[in-house]
C-alpha cells in the first residue's frame, strides 16, 4: 500500500543493517547471513513483480563473505548486497583483508549497497538524535573518502557501489577533497593516482536527500545516470515522497 501511494513499482528488500552480525563468530555469522538471505528470497518470491532481494554477508570473514555472496547470486537470484560502512572498531572498508570480497562483488557484477552502522557513537552525537541526523551521513562520507584515498575504488574500477543519503557530506565538499589530493602528500600516500571527482562519477548514490535542491546539485556533479531512487522505508527518517522529490528536483522549476 505504501508503494502504491508513493508511485513505486519495485522495492529492493534488505535486512536491517544492525542484523549484519559482524560481531558474531565467523561460522555463526555465515549461517545467520544465509538464513536472512533465504528469508528475503522467500518474501521476494511471494511477489516477484514487486520485490527483489539484497543479500547480507559475514563481512568480518571476507572469504566467507565472498562465498555467501556467490550463493546469494547463483542460488537465490540476488543482484545486490548490503554491507555496513565499516566493520566496527578500526576496520574500515579500505582494509586489505576485504580484497576477496571486492573481487567477488566485481566478478559477480552485483550492486554493493552501503548503509551506516551503529557500533559506537562518536563524541557529541548522543543527544538530539544526532547519531542519525549527523552521524549517519558522516559515516557514509568517511567510508567513501577512505575508499577513494586508499586506492580501493581505483583498483576496482568495475565495482558497482551505491552510497546512501546521497553520498553523505562528501559530494558537497568535493573541491576540498580534490584540494587534499592536489596539495597534501597524505592524499597520495594510500595509492590514489587519479582525480577523486572521476572516481565519484563512477559511483552510484541514492536520492534520500529530503531536498530537491541538493539532489539537483548531486546530479549536476556526478550525472543523473548515477542516481538511484531511495526510500529508507520503513523508518521514520525515510524520504516521505521519494518519487515526488525527484520530480521536483528535475522539473525545471526554480528551487529555494
Amino acid at each position: 500500500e505504501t508503494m502504491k501511494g508513493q508511485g513505486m513499482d519495485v522495492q529492493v528488500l534488505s535486512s536491517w543493517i544492525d542484523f549484519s552480525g559482524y560481531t558474531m563468530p565467523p561460522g555463526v555469522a555465515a549461517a545467520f547471513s544465509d538464513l536472512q538471505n533465504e528469508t528475503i528470497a522467500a518474501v521476494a518470491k511471494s511477489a516477484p513483480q514487486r520485490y527483489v532481494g539484497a543479500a547480507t554477508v559475514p563481512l568480518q570473514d571476507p572469504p566467507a563473505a565472498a562465498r555467501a555472496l556467490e550463493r546469494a547470486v547463483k542460488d537465490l537470484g540476488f543482484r545486490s548486497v548490503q554491507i555496513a560502512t565499516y566493520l566496527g572498531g578500526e576496520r574500515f572498508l579500505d582494509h586489505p583483508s576485504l580484497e576477496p570480497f571486492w573481487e567477488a562483488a566485481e566478478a559477480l557484477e552485483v550492486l554493493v549497497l552501503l548503509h551506516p552502522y551503529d557500533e559506537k557513537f562518536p563524541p557529541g552525537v548522543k543527544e538530539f538524535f544526532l547519531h542519525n541526523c549527523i552521524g549517519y551521513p558522516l559515516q557514509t562520507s568517511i567510508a567513501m573518502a577512505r575508499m577513494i584515498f586508499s586506492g580501493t575504488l581505483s583498483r576496482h574500477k568495475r565495482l558497482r557501489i551505491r552510497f546512501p543519503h546521497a553520498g553523505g557530506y562528501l559530494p558537497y565538499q568535493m573541491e576540498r577533497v580534490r584540494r587534499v589530493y592536489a596539495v597534501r602528500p597524505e592524499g597520495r600516500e594510500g595509492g590514489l593516482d587519479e582525480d577523486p571527482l572521476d572516481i565519484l562519477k563512477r559511483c552510484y548514490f541514492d536520492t534520500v536527500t529530503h531536498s530537491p535542491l541538493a539532489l539537483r546539485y548531486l546530479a549536476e556533479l556526478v550525472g543523473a545516470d548515477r542516481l538511484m531512487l531511495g526510500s529508507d522505508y520503513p523508518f521514520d527518517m525515510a524520504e516521505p515522497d521519494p518519487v515526488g522529490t525527484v520530480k521536483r528536483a528535475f522539473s525545471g522549476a526554480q528551487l529555494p
Side-chain angles (χ1 to χ4, degrees):
E1 288 301 315
T2 301
M3 291 169 63
K4 182 179 179 181
Q6 293 182 340
M8 302 244 254
D9 296 322
V10 178
Q11 185 90 323
V12 179
L13 305 179
S14 62
S15 66
W16 189 18
I17 196 66
D18 290 14
F19 291 165
S20 298
Y22 296 157
T23 59
M24 291 178 171
V28 177
F32 189 45
S33 291
D34 286 344
L35 174 61
Q36 292 184 76
N37 293 340
E38 290 163 4
T39 302
I40 290 172
V43 176
K45 189 177 180 180
S46 71
Q49 302 304 314
R50 301 289 270 169
Y51 300 141
V52 294
T56 187
V57 295
L59 204 58
Q60 67 269 50
D61 184 347
R67 292 192 294 270
L69 181 59
E70 185 172 12
R71 287 194 299 273
V73 171
K74 295 184 176 180
D75 297 343
L76 301 177
F78 287 8
R79 302 300 305 147
S80 60
V81 58
Q82 178 182 254
I83 64 172
T85 45
Y86 74 117
L87 281 72
E90 292 299 317
R91 292 185 70 195
F92 295 90
L93 297 183
D94 57 300
H95 197 279
S97 67
L98 288 177
E99 284 299 304
F101 173 75
W102 297 129
E103 290 170 0
E106 218 173 13
L108 293 166
E109 298 183 333
V110 298
L111 178 67
V112 181
L113 309 169
L114 266 61
H115 196 288
Y117 170 63
D118 276 338
E119 184 211 38
K120 183 173 63 174
F121 297 161
V125 301
K126 292 181 180 179
E127 295 79 24
F128 316 121
F129 205 60
L130 294 183
H131 76 279
N132 183 298
C133 176
I134 291 176
Y136 275 13
L138 177 60
Q139 278 194 41
T140 297
S141 304
I142 291 171
M144 192 186 315
R146 293 187 67 97
M147 294 186 78
I148 289 173
F149 282 113
S150 66
T152 302
L153 292 177
S154 296
R155 290 193 301 275
H156 300 285
K157 285 186 168 67
R158 294 184 295 109
L159 185 65
R160 300 173 178 176
I161 189 165
R162 185 230 64 182
F163 292 97
H165 308 128
Y169 305 119
L170 204 71
Y172 313 93
Q173 292 289 335
M174 200 59 208
E175 289 310 306
R176 188 171 181 85
V177 172
R178 297 177 80 195
R179 183 66 178 169
V180 169
Y181 175 66
V183 304
R184 296 294 308 183
E186 299 94 330
R188 298 172 184 263
E189 65 185 11
L192 178 62
D193 61 358
E194 60 178 320
D195 188 333
L197 182 57
D198 291 338
I199 299 175
L200 205 71
K201 291 179 178 179
R202 294 199 297 266
C203 301
Y204 294 92
F205 305 86
D206 75 15
T207 57
V208 182
T209 59
H210 305 284
S211 167
L213 185 62
L215 193 57
R216 183 184 292 182
Y217 167 80
L218 181 60
E220 291 177 356
L221 181 69
V222 301
D225 61 329
R226 293 285 133 179
L227 306 186
M228 307 183 74
L229 189 68
S231 69
D232 206 14
Y233 179 84
F235 299 101
D236 57 2
M237 288 296 288
E239 177 72 65
D241 184 16
V243 175
T245 296
V246 172
K247 286 183 175 179
R248 288 190 294 275
F250 303 108
S251 65
Q254 184 174 356
L255 299 175

